[in-house]
Amino acid sequence: MAVTDQTKKEAGRNKRKEKSKAYKRRRRKEDGAVERMALDWNPQGSRTRGRPKNIWKRTVLEEIAREGKTWSEVKKLATNRVRWRHFVNALCSL
């Protein structure tokens, strides 16, 4: 079975959509939840040898920067389900 450009694009869209869903689930948690606090956490120091330099938040920031949004704008978008759905659909259509 050959992997075509179309299937690669579909896989990329699905991956972006899953990341967006994960962000939304974590943003809807209560204020004191660890998952929600982890979204705004900025780890200090260096990683051990062999660990990837990119973290999940950085990849999400790159994707939302391509859409022309900032982290604080996306945090506000996540509170409104309709606007969030439109944002995710626009993000996944790239």
Side-chain angles (χ1 to χ4, degrees):
M1 187 184 250
V3 177
T4 63
D5 289 336
Q6 185 67 24
T7 56
K8 287 180 183 178
K9 286 180 184 178
E10 283 295 319
R13 272 191 212 114
N14 290 342
K15 192 180 274 189
R16 284 192 295 271
K17 198 165 197 163
E18 287 302 315
K19 275 189 199 178
S20 300
K21 285 181 180 180
Y23 176 80
K24 176 67 176 169
R25 280 193 303 270
R26 285 168 180 83
R27 185 49 61 191
R28 282 196 324 236
K29 295 271 185 180
E30 295 178 10
D31 286 335
V34 175
E35 297 93 341
R36 187 168 178 174
M37 290 187 297
L39 290 174
D40 294 325
W41 178 56
N42 187 14
Q44 300 297 315
S46 59
R47 290 180 167 242
T48 59
R49 184 175 174 211
R51 298 286 297 170
K53 293 187 180 199
N54 279 343
I55 58 174
W56 181 82
K57 183 177 176 181
R58 286 187 192 138
T59 60
V60 172
L61 283 172
E62 290 172 5
E63 290 174 2
I64 63 174
R66 277 189 247 134
E67 257 320 288
K69 301 279 186 197
T70 63
W71 186 252
S72 58
E73 289 174 334
V74 171
K75 283 169 57 173
K76 287 179 187 175
L77 271 175
T79 60
N80 186 331
R81 287 178 188 245
V82 175
R83 289 177 59 204
W84 179 257
R85 202 168 295 134
H86 288 296
F87 174 71
V88 169
N89 288 336
L91 186 69
C92 294
S93 68
L94 297 176

